Amino acid sequence: MLRPTRRQFSLEDLLGWEQRIPRNSFWHVLRTWREAHLKDEGFAGLYKATGRPAVSPARLTCALFIQMQQNWSDRQLEEATTFDDRVKYALGMGRSDPPVDAATLCRHRRRLLENDYGQKLLGQVVQQAMAEGFLSSEATVRLGSFLITGAAARQDTYTMLRRAILRLLTLAQCHGCRPQLEKVLERDDYHKKGKPEIDWDDPAAREALLTSLVQDARRILQAVAELPAAPEELTRAAELLKRILAQDIVTGPDGRIALRQGVARDRILSVTDPEMRHGRKTQSQKTYGYKAVVSTAGQDGSLVTGVEVAGANVPDAEMAESTLAQHTACGLEPGDVAADQAYGGATLRARLKEQGWEQYTPVARPAPSPRFTKYDFEVHAEEGWARCPAGHETRDLTFGRNGRGGKIPVFRFPVATCQECPLKDRCFNPRQKSRTLRLHPHEALLREARAKQESPEFKAVYRRRCHIERTIAHLTRHGARRARYFGQLKVRFQVLVAAVVHNIKQLARLAAARQKALPLPATA
């Protein structure tokens, strides 16, 4: 049940302990923002009208902000609300008030997650920035990404098979069908912790263990399939086990079971958190977990306006549209967007152009080559002709297929013309008879972008894209680099909370800078 919080001052409150908290500290900034913008009435939809009075949801939400800022666990936050005057001050508590219980905090977090309040809180802070004049539709939006280390440990194939089978047995016990599944298994050690006690240096012992695990996995999958009405969660657990078998196990022509050589595409890394993936930011920077894409805006790109999280192997460009959709959902209009080359693909360019975005994203440059590239040719696919560097034209336009099966235009130059051309050694391979141009489906859009990125306007806008790196550094320093929870939705909620805390601090900084820049009042 939700009701107003009535605070009674004690003698300690009257002694002025709150005056010791610096007015330029994070604690004062958070308290000021909470009192002005975060009310218990805004969380009425999360609580029933009957029951025991709830702890102030605004206070609990601010406790989550402090937890993210300080990188504390639930128990550490509980201790801080018991002994730390700064935390009590930020939460509006008296020195003698009872602490925030860790279990209460956990239940409140679950309510926020289930109702997507992380997104709502971010939208509220962004709208506050617009109302105070720190954000406008004319501001350039910046896109950037960073990797998030998963909270679960990576597991090898042996461990994943054992854990997946144990999960099936545990769920079957909840639904009363565990005996039916257990009787098809040969092994009876799935409930034991740790790896089976074998000689791991012996290849024959490892092969025998793998064979027994795979055979048990196949038997239990068959048993689940034969259940008259398998529960949905049991079916999902069976699908996870089936996918582990498909990605890591191969069976030879002689029926011999072995580990797959190489890494399967979109490989699952852990049964504990099946949504974790392996990904790289650069050749040397890799992680096992998730990737976040954020959009920022404002005077120096310091305010986060959108957050999207996916597996670490998902390309940045696939999350760009949903991130920018959050930006516009806050009331901001599509405008200029600056991003690095990872967002420069033609397909994304075409979709963003339809939505009204003006892109300042560089196009990938062709690999160095001693021969002419297709960008040295003058191409007019709409009019049906192309001209080579030597000045020869062709209207031989056909259509082929790219590597993904899409239809692409193809120009072919006459063999007689190419063989007599003095530039043929710089144009095509000696084994070829003439030059062929295979164009992209969005060739005109890519050529337009390539010409645009050489302009002074593009360079001036793109130069300001680097501001997002500072914002990302703030986010990763205060809670967004390492996942605290299992699963993509929970990790996204974590990054949203980190973004809200960051925006609150930036709004306080911008307001202080504006106040400092105001002229002093005239004196008589």
Side-chain angles (χ1 to χ4, degrees):
M1 184 180 73
L2 189 65
R3 73 172 185 182
T5 303
R6 297 182 178 86
R7 178 184 169 192
Q8 294 183 351
F9 289 91
S10 64
L11 179 60
E12 291 179 335
D13 296 325
L14 300 177
L15 296 179
W17 68 273
E18 295 181 343
Q19 303 303 318
R20 299 197 301 267
I21 308 299
R23 291 301 180 262
N24 60 347
S25 66
F26 165 74
W27 316 102
H28 181 72
V29 166
L30 184 58
R31 173 167 178 157
T32 303
W33 183 85
R34 179 185 61 82
E35 292 177 344
H37 301 285
L38 201 62
K39 307 296 181 183
D40 287 343
E41 293 77 10
F43 300 88
L46 304 183
Y47 294 86
K48 298 179 180 179
T50 58
R52 293 183 300 173
V55 179
S56 168
R59 177 177 296 174
L60 291 174
T61 303
C62 278
L64 292 176
F65 295 165
I66 295 173
Q67 182 184 40
M68 193 64 59
Q69 169 74 12
Q70 300 298 109
N71 195 25
W72 285 340
S73 66
D74 291 352
R75 292 299 178 187
Q76 287 175 318
L77 181 67
E78 182 178 348
E79 290 183 2
T81 56
T82 306
F83 305 111
D84 197 325
D85 285 347
R86 302 170 305 170
V87 177
K88 290 177 178 290
Y89 174 79
L91 298 180
M93 300 170 59
R95 298 190 82 185
S96 59
D97 286 352
V100 174
D101 183 69
T104 302
L105 185 69
C106 185
R107 286 194 294 268
H108 180 69
R109 184 192 298 114
R110 185 177 67 243
R111 286 190 176 98
L112 295 180
L113 177 64
E114 291 173 350
N115 292 272
D116 200 19
Y117 259 73
Q119 188 67 58
K120 295 177 183 177
L121 289 169
L122 180 61
Q124 177 182 344
V125 179
V126 172
Q127 290 173 2
Q128 175 194 345
M130 295 170 58
E132 295 178 2
F134 297 121
L135 273 181
S136 65
S137 297
E138 292 77 18
T140 300
V141 181
R142 300 157 178 86
L143 283 175
S145 66
F146 59 92
L147 296 174
I148 305 171
T149 304
R154 284 181 296 150
Q155 298 169 344
D156 57 28
T157 304
Y158 300 93
T159 303
M160 283 198 293
L161 287 172
R162 296 183 70 250
R163 293 288 181 87
I165 293 174
L166 178 60
R167 173 176 290 189
L168 271 173
L169 294 175
T170 303
L171 291 173
Q173 183 173 1
C174 297
H175 296 281
C177 54
R178 179 165 180 162
Q180 297 174 250
L181 303 186
E182 278 187 328
K183 67 181 182 182
V184 303
L185 300 177
E186 288 187 355
R187 305 182 64 89
D188 59 355
D189 60 346
Y190 291 105
H191 63 284
K192 295 182 180 180
K193 294 184 178 180
K195 291 185 177 181
E197 296 180 1
I198 66 168
D199 184 3
W200 289 95
D201 294 327
D202 183 6
R206 295 199 305 269
E207 182 180 349
L209 174 61
L210 181 66
T211 301
S212 67
L213 291 175
V214 171
Q215 289 175 347
D216 270 0
R218 291 171 177 172
R219 293 190 190 100
I220 198 171
L221 286 174
Q222 182 63 30
V224 172
E226 293 174 356
L227 290 176
E232 182 181 354
E233 57 182 350
L234 197 64
T235 303
R236 289 199 301 267
E239 288 296 327
L240 176 61
L241 177 57
K242 189 183 301 182
R243 185 168 175 181
I244 294 171
L245 289 173
Q247 71 178 16
D248 287 355
I249 303 299
V250 293
T251 304
D254 57 352
R256 184 177 178 182
I257 295 173
L259 293 175
R260 182 186 298 274
Q261 298 300 310
V263 180
R265 184 179 179 86
D266 200 34
R267 183 177 183 269
I268 294 174
L269 306 175
S270 171
V271 174
T272 308
D273 186 357
E275 295 179 321
M276 284 174 45
R277 293 293 183 271
H278 167 264
R280 289 182 178 271
K281 183 68 173 175
T282 62
Q283 189 66 25
S284 59
Q285 183 184 0
K286 63 180 180 180
T287 195
Y288 302 95
Y290 298 91
K291 178 188 291 183
V293 171
V294 297
S295 62
T296 66
Q299 180 182 358
D300 51 0
S302 61
L303 295 172
V304 180
T305 60
V307 170
E308 194 55 73
V309 172
N313 62 341
V314 176
D316 296 7
E318 291 188 12
M319 296 185 279
E321 279 189 275
S322 56
T323 307
L324 292 175
Q326 296 173 33
H327 176 90
T328 55
C330 296
L332 295 162
E333 297 294 332
D336 297 343
V337 55
D340 59 27
Q341 190 173 295
Y343 306 88
T347 304
L348 178 61
R349 284 181 181 275
R351 290 201 296 259
L352 293 185
K353 185 176 182 180
E354 293 176 357
Q355 298 170 16
W357 291 98
E358 183 68 23
Q359 291 177 263
Y360 292 86
T361 306
V363 181
R365 299 185 181 277
S369 172
R371 296 185 174 87
F372 296 130
T373 69
K374 67 178 181 179
Y375 294 104
D376 296 317
F377 289 71
E378 184 179 353
V379 175
H380 297 273
E382 298 83 0
E383 301 175 13
W385 63 276
R387 181 183 294 123
C388 73
H392 304 297
E393 292 186 5
T394 181
R395 293 185 176 273
D396 184 1
L397 175 61
T398 58
F399 290 91
R401 297 287 179 181
N402 58 15
R404 299 180 180 179
K407 188 177 180 181
I408 59 172
V410 179
F411 279 105
R412 302 181 187 277
F413 284 83
V415 174
T417 303
C418 289
Q419 290 298 324
E420 297 175 359
C421 180
L423 299 179
K424 66 178 182 179
D425 292 337
R426 296 180 57 192
C427 192
F428 55 90
N429 193 296
R431 293 190 298 270
Q432 298 173 327
K433 295 182 179 180
S434 65
R435 179 61 186 257
T436 300
L437 291 181
R438 295 173 60 84
L439 306 182
H440 194 278
H442 299 287
E443 184 70 26
L445 186 61
L446 289 175
R447 288 176 176 267
E448 178 186 349
R450 183 174 293 277
K452 179 181 177 180
Q453 71 186 40
E454 303 299 330
S455 66
E457 178 192 2
F458 180 95
K459 295 178 180 179
V461 174
Y462 188 71
R463 191 179 298 117
R464 298 193 294 271
R465 188 211 68 86
C466 62
H467 294 157
I468 194 175
E469 302 299 339
R470 179 175 61 246
T471 302
I472 289 177
H474 285 301
L475 291 176
T476 54
R477 190 179 301 117
H478 296 292
R481 174 65 75 190
R482 185 175 295 274
R484 303 171 64 94
Y485 319 109
F486 300 147
Q488 179 178 326
L489 288 178
K490 293 181 180 179
V491 175
R492 180 175 180 270
F493 174 78
Q494 173 184 338
V495 180
L496 283 168
V497 172
V500 172
V501 177
H502 170 78
N503 283 356
I504 292 172
K505 294 188 295 183
Q506 292 303 313
L507 287 176
R509 179 185 65 84
L510 294 171
R514 175 187 288 177
Q515 185 67 26
K516 188 176 181 180
L518 292 176
L520 295 175
T523 58

